[in-house]
């Protein structure tokens, strides 16, 4: 459904924000990209959506249902974004308009994307969406103004709005960022209800990833370090960075402060593996050459340790 092949994104002379990322997302698959702040997650999503500023140089191939997105014109892309791919941007917790009832806003979002839909059909779809997202008294919720809902409810209503277009592919950027535990649980619950959607979601929240993903990709300082099935990742991570990440915080699922913040620029990123400075398996080769993306059965890992074994 979505094929990303050797995608690199850079801004001028600076170190690439995304380096040679590849993934093939099947229909109904839930791909969750895990990475710390600055690893290139948002830039990758915006690159797929063609929402980056002109200063961004995007290389590689991005195909959605067989069509190249990078070759599409701005106007064509706008149509794709509205109807086939929906996008839930970071910090959308504040995205509801306080002056209108929630239901009206969701209907607007539906009608903006599907101009032929009648008022009654749009309303029916809005109510169905709200009930899919775990709201009980959907008519009452629809008539409520945002301030009348709890934060967790608002967040769920927003995600409902984000997918209101009935797009088959949903991209979401850090949907749990900045939320308390209770709200995180609600958002996880909402995403778990998207069974028949294809999902590409980026997060720094391991608990969200564990609950929502079918496949996991790990990014570190612009590099794709590992891609595998969710179970493989949590039970038997291959990349030293993945191993360190899981070991550091097994219980609360967040690794924002685990001390592995990726280096931003400089010598470390110029040559060899981006994780080399912190890697317990460091050897000379890791400083000399970028590790290849090694295929290990159904999974891939960018590490010299496995390149030699394979
Ligand atoms: N418009 C831009 N111009 C230049 N550099 C950018 C721009 N947007 C992002 N970057 C850089 O790209 C890198 C990755 O950023 P980002 O994708 O936002 O990280 P993440 O979402 O993983 O926290 C960062 O080093 C950031 O400074
Ligand atoms: Mg981001």
């Amino acid at each position: 459904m979505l094929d990303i092949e050797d995608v690199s994104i850079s801004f001028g002379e600076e170190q690439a924000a995304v380096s040679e990322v590849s993934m093939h997302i099947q229909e109904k698959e839930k791909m969750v990209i895990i990475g710390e702040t600055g690893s290139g997650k948002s830039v990758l999503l915006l690159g797929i959506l063609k929402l980056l500023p002109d200063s961004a140089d995007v290389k590689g191939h991005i195909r959605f249902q067989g069509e190249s997105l990078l070759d599409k014109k701005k106007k064509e892309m706008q149509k794709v974004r509205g109807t086939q791919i929906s996008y839930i941007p970071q910090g959308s917790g504040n995205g509801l308009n306080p002056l209108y009832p929630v239901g009206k806003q969701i209907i607007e979002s539906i009608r903006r994307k599907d101009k032929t839909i009648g008022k009654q059909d749009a309303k029916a779809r809005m109510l169905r969406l709200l009930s899919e997202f775990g709201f009980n008294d959907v008519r009452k919720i629809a008539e409520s103004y945002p301030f009348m809902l709890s934060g967790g409810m608002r967040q769920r209503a927003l995600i409902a709005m984000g997918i209101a277009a009935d797009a088959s592919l949903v991209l979401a950027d850090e949907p749990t960022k900045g939320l308390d535990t209770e709200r995180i649980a609600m958002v996880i619950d909402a995403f778990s209800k998207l069974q028949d959607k294809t999902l590409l979601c980026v997060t720094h929240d391991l608990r969200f990833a564990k609950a929502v993903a079918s496949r996991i990709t790990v990014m570190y300082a612009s590099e794709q370090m590992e891609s595998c099935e969710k179970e493989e990742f949590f039970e038997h991570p291959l990349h030293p960075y993945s191993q360190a990440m899981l070991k550091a915080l097994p219980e609360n699922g967040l690794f924002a402060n685990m001390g592995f913040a990726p280096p931003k620029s400089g010598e470390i990123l110029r040559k060899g593996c981006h994780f080399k400075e912190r890697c317990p398996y460091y050897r000379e080769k890791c400083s000399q050459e970028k590790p290849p993306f090694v295929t290990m059965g159904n999974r891939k890992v960018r590490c010299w340790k496995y390149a030699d074994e394979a």
Side-chain angles (χ1 to χ4, degrees):
M1 174 157 213
L2 182 69
D3 292 315
I4 299 171
E5 244 179 77
D6 286 329
V7 167
S8 298
I9 304 175
S10 51
F11 298 90
E13 296 289 288
E14 284 179 41
Q15 168 64 37
V18 172
S19 321
E20 295 175 37
V21 167
S22 297
M23 59 187 80
H24 302 280
I25 303 175
Q26 314 276 350
E27 210 171 324
K28 298 193 183 177
E29 199 163 73
K30 320 287 182 239
M31 173 66 92
V32 174
I33 301 179
I34 304 176
E36 286 167 83
T37 305
S39 52
K41 306 183 300 295
S42 297
V43 169
L44 178 63
L45 286 193
L46 294 170
I48 295 168
L49 292 158
K50 280 189 100 158
L51 288 173
L52 287 168
D54 291 341
S55 59
D57 179 24
V58 185
K59 290 202 176 73
H61 303 280
I62 301 174
R63 273 184 293 271
F64 172 63
Q65 289 175 336
E67 285 185 41
S68 166
L69 294 185
L70 294 180
D71 291 334
K72 283 197 188 293
K73 297 200 174 62
K74 271 195 175 142
K75 219 171 173 176
E76 292 174 310
M77 224 20 232
Q78 234 168 32
K79 206 169 154 197
V80 171
R81 281 199 299 269
T83 55
Q84 293 167 283
I85 305 179
S86 55
Y87 173 50
I88 303 169
Q90 192 174 316
S92 50
N94 308 315
L96 283 172
N97 188 329
L99 301 175
Y100 296 101
V102 171
K104 188 178 152 94
Q105 295 186 52
I106 297 177
I107 287 175
E108 259 173 30
S109 164
I110 292 171
R111 300 192 80 190
R112 190 164 47 232
K113 288 158 184 170
D114 180 357
K115 295 199 165 54
T116 59
I117 194 169
K119 245 186 175 154
Q120 286 311 313
D121 286 346
K123 189 175 173 187
R125 197 193 286 178
M126 176 272 290
L127 292 172
R128 200 168 59 237
L129 264 173
L130 286 178
S131 83
E132 274 174 26
F133 276 83
F135 290 106
N136 290 322
D137 194 351
V138 289
R139 280 172 203 282
K140 191 170 153 219
I141 295 291
E143 283 165 18
S144 303
Y145 287 82
F147 76 88
M148 297 158 86
L149 305 180
S150 71
M153 285 169 135
R154 275 203 296 273
Q155 188 84 357
R156 272 188 294 160
L158 259 158
I159 296 168
M161 201 163 109
I163 64 152
D166 246 353
S168 49
L169 175 64
V170 177
L171 306 191
D173 196 343
E174 307 251 25
T176 60
K177 195 168 191 172
L179 299 179
D180 61 30
T181 319
E182 196 184 331
R183 290 182 208 181
I184 289 174
M186 285 181 164
V187 170
I188 286 175
D189 189 52
F191 272 87
S192 310
K193 295 204 159 72
L194 302 178
Q195 286 311 324
D196 57 346
K197 304 272 183 198
T198 310
L199 191 66
L200 173 58
C201 196
V202 310
T203 188
H204 68 288
D205 182 341
L206 284 177
R207 202 175 54 172
F208 175 85
K210 194 168 195 173
V212 171
S214 61
R215 282 182 77 78
I216 298 273
T217 285
V218 177
M219 281 181 75
Y220 182 79
S222 86
E223 296 280 11
Q224 177 179 13
M225 294 310 200
E226 175 158 16
S227 282
C228 60
E229 297 291 310
K230 187 237 316 251
E231 291 77 15
E232 291 173 330
F233 174 76
F234 282 100
E235 281 158 32
H236 184 48
L238 290 182
H239 199 280
Y241 170 58
S242 311
Q243 293 172 355
M245 184 203 297
L246 287 171
K247 217 166 154 183
L249 283 168
E251 69 297 329
N252 66 10
L254 296 169
F255 66 105
N257 300 313
M258 63 179 273
F260 282 111
K264 277 224 146 125
S265 57
E267 205 54 42
I268 299 172
L269 299 182
R270 221 154 282 147
K271 226 172 159 194
C273 175
H274 286 183
F275 192 60
K276 59 181 175 287
E277 274 212 317
R278 289 163 170 152
C279 186
Y281 302 100
Y282 174 81
R283 57 183 96 162
E284 218 177 308
K285 203 170 189 174
C286 308
S287 293
Q288 291 159 351
E289 233 179 298
K290 172 168 163 165
F293 205 32
V294 185
T295 304
M296 310 266 294
N298 195 23
R299 54 200 296 196
K300 287 194 143 201
V301 57
R302 190 179 291 288
C303 179
W304 278 116
K305 186 169 177 273
Y306 301 99
D308 296 345
E309 282 171 19

